[in-house]
Amino acid sequence: MRALETRYKGYVFRSRLEARWAIFFDLMGVSFEYEPEGFLLAGVSYLPDFRIRLASGFYWIEVKPDCEAWSPTIPMVTDPGGWETPIIGQMIAIFG
């Protein structure tokens, strides 16, 4: 299924799923920026969907419809709890 661009609060999101998460962040009072900065990771260009600000600091958010949509080109590590996490500081992947 092709993603549908969606407008919300002056942003043009690449998908409705991303826009829904922006609405969720707003409802929760979480400050966010959409695609504010890209990175070069292991020679691969990467643009996280959101940067959010919480009391504990900034976090990068990547939104995907499911875990199969996650790009295998993004370097990953497995943390002690068994979760795979991208290597770019404080990163959170959201599926669905």
Side-chain angles (χ1 to χ4, degrees), residues 70 74-79 81-87 91-93 95:
W70 183 259
I74 304 303
M76 303 286 279
V77 294
T78 302
D79 70 22
W83 293 92
E84 284 196 332
T85 307
I87 306 172
M91 175 73 186
I92 300 169
F95 302 109

Side-chain angles (χ1 to χ4, degrees), residues 22-66:
I23 293 167
F24 172 79
F25 295 144
D26 272 346
L27 290 172
M28 298 303 294
V30 174
S31 174
F32 73 87
E33 296 172 86
Y34 179 67
E35 295 186 340
E37 184 178 349
F39 300 92
L40 188 62
L41 299 172
V44 177
S45 295
Y46 175 61
L47 181 63
D49 296 320
F50 295 95
R51 179 170 54 197
I52 63 171
R53 182 183 184 123
L54 302 176
S56 57
F58 287 98
Y59 295 84
W60 297 100
I61 306 291
E62 182 65 32
V63 176
K64 296 294 179 195
D66 54 51

